[in-house]
Amino acid sequence: MNKMAEDSQRNFRSVYYEKVGFRGVEEKKSLEILLKDDRWDIEKLCTFCQRFPLPSMYRILVWKVLLGILPPHQETQPVVMVYRKEQFDDVHHALEVIRFIDESTPKSEVFLYMYQLESGRLSRSQKYTMEPQDELFLAIVGTMEEMVDDDVDCYWLIKNFVHHLDSKFRDSQQLLQKGFEHYLNLEDSRLVAHLKACSALEKLPYNLWFRKCFAGCLPPSSLQRVWDKLVSGSCKILLFVAIEILLTFKMKVMALNNSDSINEFLEKIPEDNTDPIINKAIDLWHKHCGIPAHSV
């Protein structure tokens, strides 16, 4: 079969799958081909995550590789995961020995104390002032717990995700805030004018959106597709999610006339409409930023 015929057949299959409700079948096959290699190509995996949503059956595994929890070499992954579990158990046991935790300690606190102990920041007293890094950690815990069933996987993903955010995107919040205003103005200048008139533009929940990555604002079932993009190296997706939230609830926001009421609403948006918001946000991201060109 010549190349033109192959392309035609591939395009036909894609249209057919989408019409009968199997959108993503071709993408899943592309990912499976990538994962068959003995050594996974990190750049291609990142490109896949930028272009498509990860199938749920592969998401945790791919995240663990992209976040450096597991190596890209398949044959060494089981051995490395054994070491990760041993380290988890050792740190957990150490906290029990020094009586920082027991069976009644909430899991979120257990994970935080483990994180603090490993980073050399564990306080001698359990009553202390929370640092911004700890607040971020707990916000991510609250969402990641609902995405991941296994405690060892969950802890390692939280710890490395927070480190990823801190090392890759620490200085991005101000740029994201400026980009948010720029792109929102392109999409709806009247909405921007209303926010400015209410003195709300500078007081929107940017920390929740861009620092905590919508943890606690959007349900995990929708948010995990946004975090696919973050894990694979793009933080700009966050500003387009924020923009799409405002566009979706434009009528509600336009009816509010002060920054406090606007913030209160945006921090707790209705959760029954978030999947379409994420779909539109990803489309908006691709519209303004393009799609990675190199193939997977």
Side-chain angles (χ1 to χ4, degrees), residues 9-23:
Q9 186 175 13
R10 187 180 298 111
N11 291 337
F12 171 79
R13 287 201 304 269
S14 297
V15 172
Y16 171 75
Y17 286 136
E18 186 170 343
K19 282 186 175 180
V20 297
F22 292 106
R23 186 175 185 179

Side-chain angles (χ1 to χ4, degrees), residues 135-159:
E135 292 176 356
L136 169 63
F137 188 89
L138 287 175
I140 301 302
V141 169
T143 294
M144 194 73 79
E145 277 187 302
E146 296 190 46
M147 295 182 182
V148 187
D149 294 328
D150 182 82
D151 284 356
V152 177
D153 282 349
C154 189
Y155 173 70
W156 277 100
L157 283 166
I158 295 163
K159 185 174 79 165

Side-chain angles (χ1 to χ4, degrees), residues 173-207:
Q173 182 158 339
Q174 191 172 5
L175 293 175
L176 288 172
Q177 187 172 332
K178 290 180 180 178
F180 166 81
E181 181 178 348
H182 169 73
Y183 289 113
L184 181 60
N185 193 60
L186 291 178
E187 293 296 319
D188 196 321
S189 58
R190 185 166 169 258
L191 185 52
V192 172
H194 174 73
L195 293 171
K196 287 182 176 179
C198 297
S199 301
L201 191 59
E202 295 298 320
K203 301 176 183 178
L204 293 175
Y206 295 117
N207 189 56

Side-chain angles (χ1 to χ4, degrees), residues 13-263:
R13 287 201 304 269
S14 297
V15 172
Y16 171 75
Y17 286 136
E18 186 170 343
K19 282 186 175 180
V20 297
F22 292 106
R23 186 175 185 179
V25 170
E26 293 294 279
E27 288 87 343
K28 182 181 174 184
K29 287 181 180 178
S30 297
L31 181 60
E32 288 173 345
I33 291 170
L34 285 178
L35 299 185
K36 283 181 180 178
D37 292 339
D38 292 334
R39 186 186 187 283
W40 295 350
D41 189 313
I42 298 299
E43 183 180 359
K44 288 183 178 179
L45 277 177
C46 287
T47 301
F48 184 95
C49 293
Q50 298 291 300
R51 297 180 66 181
F52 310 115
L54 278 168
S56 57
M57 63 186 295
Y58 296 119
R59 175 168 281 116
I60 301 307
L61 179 58
V62 171
W63 280 12
K64 287 196 289 186
V65 172
L66 294 184
L67 291 174
I69 299 165
L70 290 177
H73 299 275
Q74 282 203 69
E75 62 180 15
T76 61
Q77 289 174 0
V79 176
V80 171
M81 205 58 224
V82 169
Y83 294 147
R84 298 300 192 199
K85 184 179 187 308
E86 289 177 353
Q87 184 174 338
F88 175 93
D89 291 340
D90 287 345
V91 177
H92 191 280
H93 179 65
L95 288 171
E96 290 178 321
V97 170
I98 62 176
R99 298 182 179 178
F100 249 73
I101 62 171
D102 56 34
E103 292 182 356
S104 67
T105 308
K107 190 186 298 184
S108 59
E109 291 183 22
V110 172
F111 285 171
L112 178 61
Y113 296 147
M114 290 177 66
Y115 175 65
Q116 291 174 334
L117 180 59
E118 288 197 283
S119 58
R121 296 187 303 106
L122 186 66
S123 172
R124 292 185 180 183
S125 170
Q126 292 174 310
K127 295 180 180 180
Y128 67 99
T129 302
M130 243 330 156
E131 296 181 9
Q133 190 176 12
D134 298 325
E135 292 176 356
L136 169 63
F137 188 89
L138 287 175
I140 301 302
V141 169
T143 294
M144 194 73 79
E145 277 187 302
E146 296 190 46
M147 295 182 182
V148 187
D149 294 328
D150 182 82
D151 284 356
V152 177
D153 282 349
C154 189
Y155 173 70
W156 277 100
L157 283 166
I158 295 163
K159 185 174 79 165
N160 283 39
F161 185 61
V162 169
H163 175 73
H164 177 73
L165 295 176
D166 196 47
S167 60
K168 299 283 188 182
F169 309 133
R170 177 188 294 178
D171 301 321
S172 298
Q173 182 158 339
Q174 191 172 5
L175 293 175
L176 288 172
Q177 187 172 332
K178 290 180 180 178
F180 166 81
E181 181 178 348
H182 169 73
Y183 289 113
L184 181 60
N185 193 60
L186 291 178
E187 293 296 319
D188 196 321
S189 58
R190 185 166 169 258
L191 185 52
V192 172
H194 174 73
L195 293 171
K196 287 182 176 179
C198 297
S199 301
L201 191 59
E202 295 298 320
K203 301 176 183 178
L204 293 175
Y206 295 117
N207 189 56
L208 173 63
W209 293 347
F210 303 148
R211 175 65 175 156
K212 296 180 180 177
C213 308
F214 294 93
C217 176
L218 294 172
S221 58
S222 297
L223 193 53
Q224 58 193 0
R225 290 190 292 140
V226 176
W227 286 10
D228 285 347
K229 316 303 181 189
L230 287 171
V231 168
S232 57
S234 173
C235 64
K236 256 192 169 180
I237 183 63
L238 296 173
L239 68 87
F240 291 106
V241 174
I243 287 169
E244 192 53 51
I245 286 173
L246 279 165
L247 293 176
T248 298
F249 296 106
K250 175 182 175 178
M251 298 305 294
K252 174 68 175 179
V253 172
M254 294 288 282
L256 300 172
N257 294 315
N258 64 78
S259 60
D260 289 342
S261 59
I262 290 174
N263 262 19

